[in-house]
Amino acid sequence: INILKMSDKKEEKKTQVEDEEMEEMTPKTKKKRVHEKLLAKIKAKKSKNRLIVDDATKDDNSCIALNPDTMEDLGLFRGDTVKLIGKKRNDTIAICLSDDTCEKGKVKMNRCIRNNLRLKLLDIVVVKNFGDVKFGKRVGILPIDDTI
């Protein structure tokens, strides 16, 4: 009889938790939970250079913004060139700037950079120092094959 009572209590707790989850599932709370899970995943891996993508306030296609503490952890300075690695190993380079409004563990980037990396908001991107980048000697702008 005791065993049956224990299982009944467990089932009641499960249904209570499920009811609470169903009531709270609005789009905002759902987004918060996804965000919290991503932060927990990053903290669990303890990989400093894996950051969550956030929308940039400035509209610059060549710059990303990081929290000054995050920059210090990664060994980056203001104006350094960084390599960003997105989904399916797509990569691009950008200039790193500090931003006090950016949260720790996040990187603010423009929509254009996100499209190049095939990323969406709240995806994870890898940020690495790229060192010195040489200046280009010439630029070639060619039409797309479909338009010819």
Side-chain angles (χ1 to χ4, degrees), residues 49-113:
N49 61 348
R50 293 173 58 92
L51 304 171
I52 296 174
V53 175
D54 197 10
D55 195 21
T57 53
K58 297 178 183 173
D59 210 25
D60 192 355
N61 294 338
S62 62
C63 296
I64 62 167
L66 293 170
N67 188 306
D69 296 334
T70 307
M71 287 179 65
E72 188 176 316
D73 291 344
L74 296 175
L76 298 172
F77 297 101
R78 191 177 199 284
D80 280 354
T81 307
V82 292
K83 183 176 184 180
L84 304 168
I85 303 171
K87 286 184 180 177
K88 298 181 184 177
R89 297 289 178 211
N90 289 326
D91 59 349
T92 188
I93 60 172
I95 297 168
C96 181
L97 299 175
S98 64
D99 187 6
D100 294 329
T101 61
C102 185
E103 296 177 30
K104 193 169 184 178
K106 285 190 173 185
V107 58
K108 289 186 175 185
M109 63 176 65
N110 189 348
R111 183 176 172 216
C112 182
I113 298 174

Side-chain angles (χ1 to χ4, degrees), residues 142-148:
L142 302 172
I144 300 172
D145 292 337
D146 297 344
T147 60
I148 299 176

Side-chain angles (χ1 to χ4, degrees), residues 86-88 90 113-120 123:
K87 286 184 180 177
K88 298 181 184 177
N90 289 326
I113 298 174
R114 288 196 313 265
N115 287 343
N116 286 342
L117 296 171
R118 310 292 192 263
L119 294 173
K120 296 177 183 174
D123 281 346

